[in-house]
Amino acid sequence: VMRKMVEITKRQLLVAAVVCALFACGHAAIRGLNPQLAAHYSGTGGKFTCIDQSKAIDFSQVNDNYCDCYDGSDEPGTSACHNGRFYCANRGHEPSLLSASFVDDGVCDCCDGSDELSGCTNKCLEKSAEARQALRSKAEQYQRSLAKKAEQIQSAQSWKASWPSRVGTIDTEIEAQKAAVQAAEAEKERAQAEENERLRIANEEAQRQAEEAQKQAEEERKLQEQQQQQQADATPSATAGDAQQAGSEQAQDTQAVPHEETPEELGRRIASQWTHDPEAAAVPAGEHEPGHEDDIDHGEEEFPEGEEPEHGAYDEQQPEEDPNSPVAEAQRKLQEEQQKLQELEKEKRNIERYSHPAFDFGPNNMFLAFAGRCFQDMSTRWTYEACFFETATQSEGHYKANLVRLGNWRGFTDGYSLAIFDNGDFCGAINQPRQLRIRLVCGAEERLYDASEPHTCVYDAYLSTPLACTEEEHTQVKTHLEQLEQLEREVLAEIAGASTAGAKKDEL
């Protein structure tokens, strides 16, 4: 409302400036005079009557730098009155009103520099160029927003028009989709059963290979023992000292040579990976002599350079599921069919809900575009969520902690520019339920913003949406732009005329 009042005031000042310029106001000599108040400064009888009618003074006391009138009307061009207003003509740009306290303060506030007796240059054409560019951008934004608004209205009207026919077909579609979901579930179960059978066979094969490897390792161990015994029997003449020295050298060799995994240990470890039983990889008691800790497999292996297995080759965790496997494909298909069913069921609920005559969707049912939609403002520690035609909430953080219901949908007011949610959770501080008021403003994008609690348990927010844009506002912006462009042309023509006159004077 304030923005509209300011725009109206600017237009009034602009019109007054144009009229004054066209008809040569007789009071141009009165500094800071607002053309709209020119009638009060006629000087009839050599007197000036304060605009508030509080007193009459000599006309010579106007702009004498002494405040005589309580309303400050006798000093339009000085800073004598604290409530005075200085009129910036701003030729070539928008006129404006300036507080009298800024007059002759050494700062150029009016773009034409008229608020200072000296030291200012006229920059109104530059300011006007900036303002015109901003207005062009604003007009383009209105045009885009109005186009989006038309699309949303058309979509909402088409949806509502489809309700009668959808009521007769949606139940059949839901039943058919339920059957599709059941078929997808059966297909997933079948694919999972096949995958389980494949894994079972693979596990059994791995177990068989592990047992064979273990059996082969046991046979090799027995054969090695026999060969060692035969060698011992073939050298009976070895002295005890030689045997002791040989044993010492063998022990040193054993400590110097890193332990290599035996076939038996390999088989046990493979079995543990397939069966996910760590005990299956344990070495039977007694196979390692005390003090030979290097022979024990601690779960970490060393591989010759260039022969390291790929990461996860011996990982005991279950391998990740192949996204292209039949099971994964069946799961995706099931989720797609379930999503379709949920959308159909939601459509049915919405048709049944929004067909109720109690809902007012505004002119041309345009706010039906908000049906079933929620808007959030998460710019602070509090998350505000407004679901039109349903409910509004406030929560802490992004995880909806300390959820509070701000209100249920009540309806629109103030010409469909204000949405009301009331009868929320009870607030003991004011002994009343909470309520939320959302002001709808024109914008190309839809977003909830500036949510706050200006009064205890009374919440305000703004919603930017194309549905709040109007053709009237678009026309006002374009008219404002045309006025500034016209003023620019007039000023440029005056400058060109003055330049021509100066040139002729120089020639004479």
Side-chain angles (χ1 to χ4, degrees):
V1 174
M2 290 298 298
R3 178 173 58 82
K4 289 184 178 179
M5 292 177 63
V6 171
E7 290 180 352
I8 292 173
T9 302
K10 287 183 177 179
R11 288 197 298 274
Q12 291 174 342
L13 293 175
L14 194 60
V15 171
V18 173
V19 171
C20 186
L22 294 177
F23 296 99
C25 294
H27 301 280
I30 300 179
R31 185 186 183 206
L33 174 61
N34 185 345
Q36 292 180 324
L37 305 177
H40 294 279
Y41 297 82
S42 62
T44 303
K47 294 290 184 178
F48 172 77
T49 301
C50 302
I51 293 179
D52 64 359
Q53 303 295 313
S54 60
K55 64 171 69 173
I57 59 175
D58 290 338
F59 196 79
S60 61
Q61 293 177 264
V62 174
N63 274 350
D64 66 347
N65 207 28
Y66 183 84
C67 191
D68 298 289
C69 299
Y70 296 120
D71 62 1
S73 57
D74 64 310
E75 298 295 321
T78 73
S79 59
C81 298
H82 73 280
N83 54 351
R85 291 293 181 269
F86 184 92
Y87 177 82
C88 301
N90 294 340
R91 184 69 173 150
H93 186 42
E94 296 178 317
S96 61
L97 290 176
L98 185 67
S99 173
S101 61
F102 295 105
V103 176
D104 294 331
D105 63 349
V107 179
C108 303
D109 298 290
C110 302
C111 69
D112 61 2
S114 58
D115 60 309
E116 303 296 322
L117 294 177
S118 62
C120 295
T121 57
N122 192 317
K123 298 182 178 180
C124 288
L125 286 179
E126 291 88 338
K127 294 285 290 185
S128 179
E130 296 174 2
R132 292 195 306 274
Q133 183 57 43
L135 286 173
R136 290 190 188 97
S137 299
K138 192 173 183 179
E140 292 173 358
Q141 178 182 341
Y142 264 99
Q143 188 171 358
R144 292 193 300 270
S145 299
L146 290 172
K148 288 185 177 181
K149 177 181 179 179
E151 292 176 0
Q152 289 180 321
I153 291 176
Q154 179 61 39
S155 177
Q157 290 177 341
S158 299
W159 182 42
K160 187 172 183 179
S162 70
W163 289 354
S165 60
R166 293 296 291 152
V167 169
T169 61
I170 196 167
D171 286 334
T172 303
E173 292 183 16
I174 289 176
E175 292 302 319
Q177 191 58 38
K178 286 181 179 179
V181 169
Q182 292 176 353
E185 289 175 343
E187 175 61 22
K188 180 179 180 298
E189 291 177 358
R190 184 195 64 77
Q192 188 64 62
E194 290 183 354
E195 178 67 11
N196 293 341
E197 179 64 15
R198 185 187 68 79
L199 291 176
R200 185 189 66 79
I201 295 174
N203 287 339
E204 290 180 353
E205 177 63 20
Q207 182 67 24
R208 185 188 64 79
Q209 292 179 3
E211 291 175 353
E212 289 182 356
Q214 184 175 1
K215 182 179 179 181
Q216 182 179 358
E218 180 66 20
E219 292 176 351
E220 291 179 354
R221 185 184 64 81
K222 291 180 179 179
L223 179 60
Q224 186 177 9
E225 290 178 353
Q226 291 176 0
Q227 292 175 349
Q228 292 175 350
Q229 184 62 40
Q230 291 175 358
Q231 291 176 358
D233 294 341
T235 56
S237 60
T239 64
D242 294 338
Q244 182 177 0
Q245 182 179 359
S248 176
E249 293 176 353
Q250 183 178 2
Q252 291 177 2
D253 293 341
T254 303
Q255 293 177 0
V257 179
H259 169 69
E260 295 184 1
E261 189 177 44
T262 66
E264 180 181 1
E265 291 170 341
L266 176 62
R268 289 181 180 276
R269 182 165 53 77
I270 294 175
S272 70
Q273 292 169 356
W274 281 100
T275 60
H276 301 287
D277 181 9
E279 296 182 357
V283 179
E287 289 197 8
H288 295 282
E289 297 180 3
H292 291 75
E293 294 297 329
D294 292 340
D295 294 343
I296 300 177
D297 183 8
H298 293 283
E300 297 183 0
E301 304 173 65
E302 296 182 0
F303 297 89
E305 184 177 355
E307 298 183 10
E308 291 86 351
E310 295 183 2
H311 177 69
Y314 295 114
D315 192 354
E316 294 186 2
Q317 299 298 325
Q318 189 71 17
E320 294 184 2
E321 183 177 352
D322 182 3
N324 298 320
S325 68
V327 174
E329 180 62 31
Q331 179 64 30
R332 283 194 296 270
K333 180 64 175 178
L334 175 59
Q335 292 175 346
E336 291 174 1
E337 299 299 342
Q338 289 173 335
Q339 180 66 27
K340 291 178 182 178
L341 178 60
Q342 292 173 1
E343 291 174 355
L344 286 172
E345 291 174 339
K346 180 180 179 180
E347 181 183 1
K348 180 181 178 180
R349 289 194 303 269
N350 286 341
I351 292 175
E352 292 174 348
R353 175 178 175 80
Y354 300 127
S355 296
H356 197 281
F359 284 106
D360 178 12
F361 299 111
N364 299 317
N365 292 310
M366 64 179 183
F367 289 109
L368 186 58
F370 285 171
R373 297 181 60 191
C374 297
F375 303 93
Q376 288 186 334
D377 178 9
M378 298 186 292
S379 58
T380 66
R381 64 176 285 197
W382 302 105
T383 295
Y384 292 84
E385 183 176 62
C387 300
F388 273 64
F389 312 113
E390 295 183 23
T391 186
T393 61
Q394 179 203 56
S395 58
E396 188 171 6
H398 302 302
Y399 301 101
K400 295 191 175 181
N402 302 322
L403 185 68
V404 175
R405 185 169 53 88
L406 302 184
N408 297 319
W409 175 256
R410 176 182 173 185
F412 291 102
T413 186
D414 196 12
Y416 296 96
S417 66
L418 190 65
I420 303 296
F421 294 82
D422 63 6
N423 198 29
D425 287 344
F426 186 79
C427 178
I430 60 174
N431 201 32
Q432 289 181 359
R434 290 171 167 81
Q435 65 169 303
L436 170 66
R437 303 169 300 191
I438 300 180
R439 175 68 63 179
L440 275 64
V441 296
C442 176
E445 304 298 330
E446 290 178 334
R447 66 183 184 95
L448 189 70
Y449 66 96
D450 282 355
S452 62
E453 186 180 0
H455 307 288
T456 303
C457 296
V458 177
Y459 305 85
D460 286 346
Y462 292 87
L463 178 65
S464 170
T465 172
L467 296 179
C469 302
T470 64
E471 289 287 354
E472 291 78 10
E473 291 176 333
H474 188 205
T475 300
Q476 291 174 2
V477 172
K478 292 190 294 184
T479 301
H480 191 183
L481 176 60
E482 291 170 358
Q483 291 173 343
L484 287 183
E485 291 174 341
Q486 177 61 27
L487 278 177
E488 181 195 29
R489 288 191 292 269
E490 293 175 2
V491 171
L492 292 177
E494 291 177 2
I495 294 174
S499 298
T500 302
K504 290 183 178 179
K505 183 179 179 180
D506 293 338
E507 289 176 3
L508 294 175

